Amino acid sequence: MADDNDAERNYPATPRRLEQARERGQVARSRELTTAAVALTAALSLWQLGPLLLRRCMGLVHDGLSLDRLAAFDPDRMLFSLHGSSLAMLTDLLPLLVLLLGATIAAPMLLSGWVFSLNALGPDFARLSPARGLKNLLSTHSVAELAKAIAKCLLLGGIGAWSIVNLWGQMQQLAAQGPASAVGQLGAVLGSAFFALVGGLVLIALFDVPHQLWHYHKGLRMTREEIRLEQREMEGDPQLKARIRSQQRAMARKKMMTAVPTASVIVTNPTHYAVALEYRDGGMRAPRVVAKGMNLVAQRIREIGEAHRVPVLEAPPLARALYRHAEIGSEIPQALKERLNLHSSPCSARHLTAARARILLASRA
């Protein structure tokens, strides 16, 4: 039976879920693709290497049956001859075996790429559950696999029957031919039938690969809650992140407030904005923002400034401009620097009074 939660799994798997499944060794697989690849490799290899292998095999059979009287009655020489014939046969078949092994390894990689995971070797006791086994037996995937197996048998059986009927006349003529020509004719007949069966396997694989990909991605579909939990794991808990940001802002404000007593002047709105600037003759190219804020933070900056006798300049447009365009710890922009005209002051800006600052601003306006 289908999973009860399948109706809720309407969302495709996220890249992270696909990667986790891949780490577990859970990838799309098609046995039909591997079978077709191995059969096609064998057919093409025998087509190219068949005549050479036939000659080598005939030579090995000839050498194996050519025995002198001493070799026939000497077990040691018989074992030595058997060893040499076996080694020669293995050497002759080695290219074909290597090609088949390569096709067996490469075929699954065409569908899912290289995957190496030790998780697949771990025990999974859930597979021993009879309930789960019965559930898998009655699942739609099992029914689809049964239908595919029946269709595969019918297709390959039909191809085999068609090959026998179509090549029956040529097989009857083999009895009237000599051994050499009969062997060649038999090879051609078997090769034609084998290529027909390989074509059927390739056709089955072309239908099975999309089905396996669809079934794989269907099994990894997610619910909305699973996607939300995954995003929370990747990005962090929003409440925790909000608390961290709040603590960071509090620490930044605390650090900022400790720099207010070192300011040279505080530019205010006068109530909504406050920006504390530090400037020292010869050591700075332009005033530097050491603290800024609005509303309650601005009020706290003014209170600390008054407690440490930092000059206050009430310039609403300038205060808003500094708050918006100047960052804490950086120098103010050139345009705002010219408006303050601190370079023209004969004394340190630390000793500017509020009146002197107003006069400087008015003179530049």
Side-chain angles (χ1 to χ4, degrees), residues 236-244:
D237 191 348
Q239 296 181 356
L240 179 60
K241 291 175 65 177
R243 289 182 57 188
I244 294 175

Side-chain angles (χ1 to χ4, degrees), residues 172-241:
Q172 288 180 329
Q173 297 175 3
L174 296 177
Q177 299 180 5
S181 61
V183 170
Q185 184 67 22
L186 179 62
V189 170
L190 294 179
S192 300
F194 188 43
F195 270 104
L197 291 175
V198 170
L201 292 175
V202 172
L203 182 62
I204 293 173
L206 292 177
F207 282 95
D208 184 64
V209 168
H211 170 72
Q212 295 298 335
L213 289 174
W214 172 82
H215 181 264
Y216 171 73
H217 288 284
K218 178 184 177 183
L220 293 178
R221 286 187 305 183
M222 306 174 66
T223 63
R224 180 177 298 180
E225 182 64 22
E226 289 175 338
I227 295 177
R228 185 181 299 110
L229 291 176
E230 181 182 287
Q231 292 177 349
R232 179 175 297 178
E233 291 176 0
M234 295 179 62
E235 300 176 1
D237 191 348
Q239 296 181 356
L240 179 60
K241 291 175 65 177

Side-chain angles (χ1 to χ4, degrees), residues 93-138:
L93 293 178
L94 186 60
L96 177 61
L97 297 178
V98 170
L99 291 174
L100 294 179
L101 178 61
T104 304
I105 296 175
M109 296 177 61
L110 294 176
L111 190 61
S112 57
W114 171 257
V115 178
F116 179 78
S117 176
L118 297 178
N119 294 332
L121 301 178
D124 186 4
F125 298 102
R127 296 182 178 180
L128 302 178
S129 173
R132 181 175 178 179
L134 182 62
K135 181 179 179 180
N136 293 334
L137 183 63
L138 300 178

Side-chain angles (χ1 to χ4, degrees), residues 36-50:
V38 172
L40 182 60
T41 302
L44 295 176
S45 300
L46 291 175
W47 181 38
Q48 294 294 327
L49 303 176

Side-chain angles (χ1 to χ4, degrees), residues 66-84:
S66 299
L67 301 174
D68 56 12
R69 189 174 185 278
L70 295 177
F73 290 94
D74 189 353
D76 294 335
R77 295 186 60 182
M78 292 291 294
L79 290 175
F80 180 78
S81 177
L82 177 62
H83 175 267

